[in-house]
Amino acid sequence: MTNRKTRGARHETWRRDVETFDDVVIGAGILGLAHAYHLATAGRRVVVLERSSYAQGASVRNFGMVWPLGQPRGERLDTALRSRGHWIATHQAAGLWFDPCGSIHAAYHDDELQLLREFVEGAVGAGYEVRLLDAHEARDLSPRLRAEGLRGAMFSATEVCVDPRRSVAGVAAWLESCCGVQFRFGTTVTAATTGRVTTPAGDLACDRVWVCTGDDLNGIAARALEGSGLVRCKLQMMRTSALPHCERVGPMLPAGLTLRHYTSFGACPSLPALAAALDARNPGYAARGIHVMVSQHESGMLTIGDSHEYGEGIGPFDSTETDAMILRYLDGWFDRAGTQVVERWHGVYAKHPTDGWVVVDADERVCVVTGVGGAGMTLSFGLAETTTADARS
């Protein structure tokens, strides 16, 4: 076996003829961009390699919700709140649109309102910024909420809306123009080891490698991720045309089904009873992992979703019934009159059943970061701040 000293000497021989960077980041999705951001702003020379001609995975196929409210108290909530700060800072610096509009959880049944009460009571001192609203207050903030049956709501101040399609491309452009990060799109990485990254266009020498390749569990990080417990998840989403007359919906909106989706609500005593009631009121929804949320971007278009299908058997074909169920539930509490669905798509991400993320070392200075699940927009900047701390010191 080659010892470390000999291996290092061998690296020095081939390094003379290749480009050298402090950091090579593999993947130009939001996790890759977040790592590039923290490294480059610390003065390190960074290149990002992306196999596609532009980022087109889960990072651009989501609501654009930076959603600290969904994270359980402790490390994950703290990470989300730090990430929120970096989202705002990067978007202000890059001149990109964002809206710190917050969110409203609407309750149309007494048991949903009871769980919201429990959450607000237990949120004191944890980092959440939440308060209960009566039905009139909720509709003052979001007039498209249906008045009939509305029992009340919970407002949270921490959520930020971005447009993922523009934000991911815009942050990359800003990192390149203002922070000196190089981007190599259309570049496939075939191997990544300590000090060396191999591509069909040639090798790169570096101090560290950061592998942020999303749901690709069988690629260059396959061996490192063996036994990690990660599963792939497919979600279906839609966009509508803009609301008439430049109307804004106000805060981003979820309703009852979302209360059992996010782990932040797991400590609420009434959650088991509510989950059973939600199943009874909405048969078939749990089997498809459906909970329904709405965000609105600068264009006025609405993003609506989503569903969750897990496992290796997920396929490329979408379910029209799943889309119909999403819209049917949405129409029970949100008035989308004046719009029509103009886009439908699916995304796929990697998720750990219990952990908020997966960080493993594939080699001595090759770090794999993945498994943020559906919270990639929420966690990435904060997580990357942690994983890169040693490199930046």
Side-chain angles (χ1 to χ4, degrees):
M1 178 178 290
T2 304
N3 63 40
R4 184 174 298 178
K5 183 176 181 180
T6 303
R7 183 173 60 189
R10 186 178 298 170
H11 283 171
E12 289 306 313
T13 300
W14 68 266
R15 278 174 186 261
R16 298 170 189 159
D17 302 319
V18 300
E19 288 185 281
T20 300
F21 296 87
D22 294 321
D23 301 276
V24 174
V25 178
I26 304 172
I30 192 56
L31 258 177
L33 296 183
H35 280 76
Y37 163 74
H38 287 295
L39 294 163
T41 53
R44 293 172 68 86
R45 187 163 182 253
V46 182
V47 62
V48 179
L49 308 180
E50 166 59 49
R51 65 184 175 185
S52 301
S53 56
Y54 60 94
Q56 53 187 271
S59 295
V60 298
R61 305 187 190 195
N62 61 75
F63 290 100
M65 292 174 166
V66 181
W67 200 263
L69 180 62
Q71 298 303 308
R73 65 178 62 206
E75 181 185 19
R76 285 163 66 174
L77 177 58
D78 293 344
T79 300
L81 291 172
R82 286 189 287 108
S83 189
R84 178 188 188 274
H86 292 301
W87 272 107
I88 293 173
T90 56
H91 278 53
Q92 288 175 332
L96 296 169
W97 177 87
F98 69 97
D99 185 2
C101 56
S103 64
I104 294 178
H105 272 75
Y108 283 80
H109 296 271
D110 290 336
D111 51 5
E112 296 169 359
L113 186 58
Q114 173 59 28
L115 187 135
L116 292 176
R117 288 195 189 100
E118 293 170 0
F119 184 83
V120 171
E121 290 170 0
V124 177
Y128 303 106
E129 298 179 29
V130 294
R131 58 186 173 90
L132 289 175
L133 307 173
D134 63 29
H136 295 293
E137 292 171 323
R139 294 196 74 247
D140 283 345
L141 289 175
S142 188
R144 286 270 175 165
L145 286 172
R146 294 193 182 278
E148 184 179 358
L150 181 60
R151 302 294 204 273
M154 180 182 75
F155 175 74
S156 172
T158 54
E159 287 63 62
V160 178
C161 187
V162 301
D163 186 336
R165 304 178 193 185
R166 294 186 177 182
S167 289
V168 170
V171 169
W174 174 74
L175 287 171
E176 188 169 45
S177 63
C178 296
C179 300
V181 177
Q182 294 189 36
F183 284 83
R184 310 273 175 90
F185 290 96
T187 300
T188 300
V189 175
T190 56
T193 56
T194 299
R196 185 170 187 162
V197 172
T198 302
T199 79
D203 291 355
L204 301 175
C206 59
D207 177 44
R208 294 178 185 249
V209 182
W210 311 88
V211 182
C212 305
T213 49
D215 73 302
D216 183 6
L217 306 182
N218 299 312
I220 59 172
R223 182 172 296 180
L225 294 174
E226 285 180 0
S228 65
L230 287 168
V231 295
R232 297 174 74 242
C233 177
K234 172 184 172 181
L235 54 90
Q236 290 184 203
M237 303 188 71
M238 294 165 272
R239 267 192 180 183
T240 75
S241 54
L243 290 173
H245 313 299
C246 302
E247 182 183 348
R248 305 297 297 179
V249 301
M252 295 178 283
L253 298 168
L257 286 175
T258 299
L259 296 175
R260 72 167 174 197
H261 178 76
Y262 286 112
T263 54
S264 54
F265 298 107
C268 295
S270 66
L271 182 60
L274 174 61
L278 289 169
D279 285 342
R281 292 196 287 262
N282 306 282
Y285 277 70
R288 296 172 186 254
I290 294 173
H291 78 117
V292 181
M293 309 173 80
V294 180
S295 66
Q296 185 181 37
H297 304 125
E298 183 180 21
S299 67
M301 301 174 76
L302 306 180
T303 301
I304 299 167
D306 57 356
S307 58
H308 299 80
E309 179 184 354
Y310 296 94
E312 290 303 313
I314 57 177
F317 306 111
D318 294 345
S319 166
T320 56
E321 177 59 19
T322 294
D323 283 354
M325 292 171 70
I326 289 170
L327 294 173
R328 188 158 59 244
Y329 183 78
L330 175 68
D331 289 341
W333 55 271
F334 179 81
D335 178 10
R336 59 186 176 97
T339 71
Q340 58 182 338
V341 175
V342 294
E343 295 178 354
R344 301 173 189 264
W345 70 91
H346 72 257
V348 179
Y349 56 70
K351 178 181 177 65
H352 192 274
T354 58
D355 297 341
W357 50 77
V358 171
V359 179
V360 296
D361 291 325
D363 207 341
E364 184 181 344
R365 287 179 174 250
V366 180
C367 182
V368 180
V369 187
T370 186
V372 287
M377 302 298 275
T378 298
L379 295 170
S380 290
F381 277 102
L383 176 57
E385 184 177 29
T386 300
T387 56
T388 62
D390 178 61
R392 294 183 288 112
S393 61

